[in-house]
Every structure is written in C-alpha cells, then in structure tokens.
Amino acid sequence: MSTDAAPAPPPVPTPSPTASACEPYRETIEAALGLGRNAMAIWQDLVDDHRFPGRYASVKRFVAKLRTQASPDARVVITTAVGEEAQVDYGDGPMVRDPQTGKHRRVRLFVLTLGYSRKPCAC
C-alpha cells in the first residue's frame, strides 16, 4: 500500500472577478445607445474622445448585456366599449391583372380594426 498522497483534483475554472473595462463609461455608453448608436460607433467614440484602452469586443459584449437588461418600450393600451371605436388604414397594393380586360391595375387596400376585440376586417 502506498503512503503517497492522492493527487489533488484539477482546479475548477471560475469567472474573472474583474469588472468590464466599459463600466467606468456606462453613462456615456447608455446615452449613446439612447441615440441609436451601435457598438462599433460607441467604441470608436470612446477611443477618440476618452482614450478608451479596451477592445471593440468588450464594448460589444457590454452593449449586448445592456440591451438585454433594458426594459421594453412603453405601450399604450386603449380600452373601448363594444362598438364604440374602430381604426382604419388604407393604401396601395400590388399590381394585378384584371381577368376580364387583361390589363394590369393597382389594388387599393382598406383595413378596419374593431377597437374592442382588435379583430381586423380587410375589405
């Protein structure tokens, strides 16, 4: 029987405890996202304006994380009584051939949506 100690199990990898290089620029990045800027443009601005030392990949990850944390845009819910309100929309559709004349004509579209049930009626 051997008196040697059993080999220790390999260490379990743990995530890095360091914060993102983008964290000090969080407000700037959030403001740029609010203006509709993408990650590449934000990274370029950080490098040019703030001498950002990080890479584009870190900004890309940070922006993706912020986008998943962002709350969805507010939506207005309109509640109406039965038969009280309807919404309409109309416009041009595709060109189709008239079966009787053989000529092409533009289709006109009309949609009425009932306010209470939200059921659309295409006419």
Side-chain angles (χ1 to χ4, degrees):
M1 180 169 212
S2 173
T3 58
D4 294 337
V12 177
T14 57
S16 173
T18 60
S20 170
C22 300
E23 194 59 45
Y25 306 96
R26 176 183 285 271
E27 290 181 15
T28 304
I29 293 171
E30 287 174 341
L33 285 172
L35 296 173
R37 307 277 292 175
N38 63 23
M40 177 60 77
I42 293 170
W43 175 71
Q44 290 171 341
D45 289 345
L46 289 173
V47 170
D48 292 344
D49 301 339
H50 301 283
R51 295 182 180 258
F52 179 67
R55 296 182 180 261
Y56 166 65
S58 64
V59 175
K60 187 176 170 184
R61 284 189 305 269
F62 194 79
V63 165
K65 196 180 301 183
L66 287 178
R67 284 189 176 142
T68 59
Q69 293 173 355
S71 61
D73 293 337
R75 301 279 193 255
V76 176
V77 177
I78 300 172
T79 306
T80 63
V82 176
E84 182 178 289
E85 184 178 301
Q87 297 172 344
V88 297
D89 196 9
Y90 60 91
D92 293 327
M95 296 289 286
V96 296
R97 186 187 340 232
D98 186 330
Q100 295 175 353
T101 64
K103 294 182 180 181
H104 283 84
R105 299 181 64 182
R106 176 135 339 252
V107 176
R108 299 285 293 164
L109 304 172
F110 177 84
V111 177
L112 179 132
T113 303
L114 301 173
Y116 179 77
S117 66
R118 307 304 306 157
K119 297 280 185 189
C121 304
C123 304

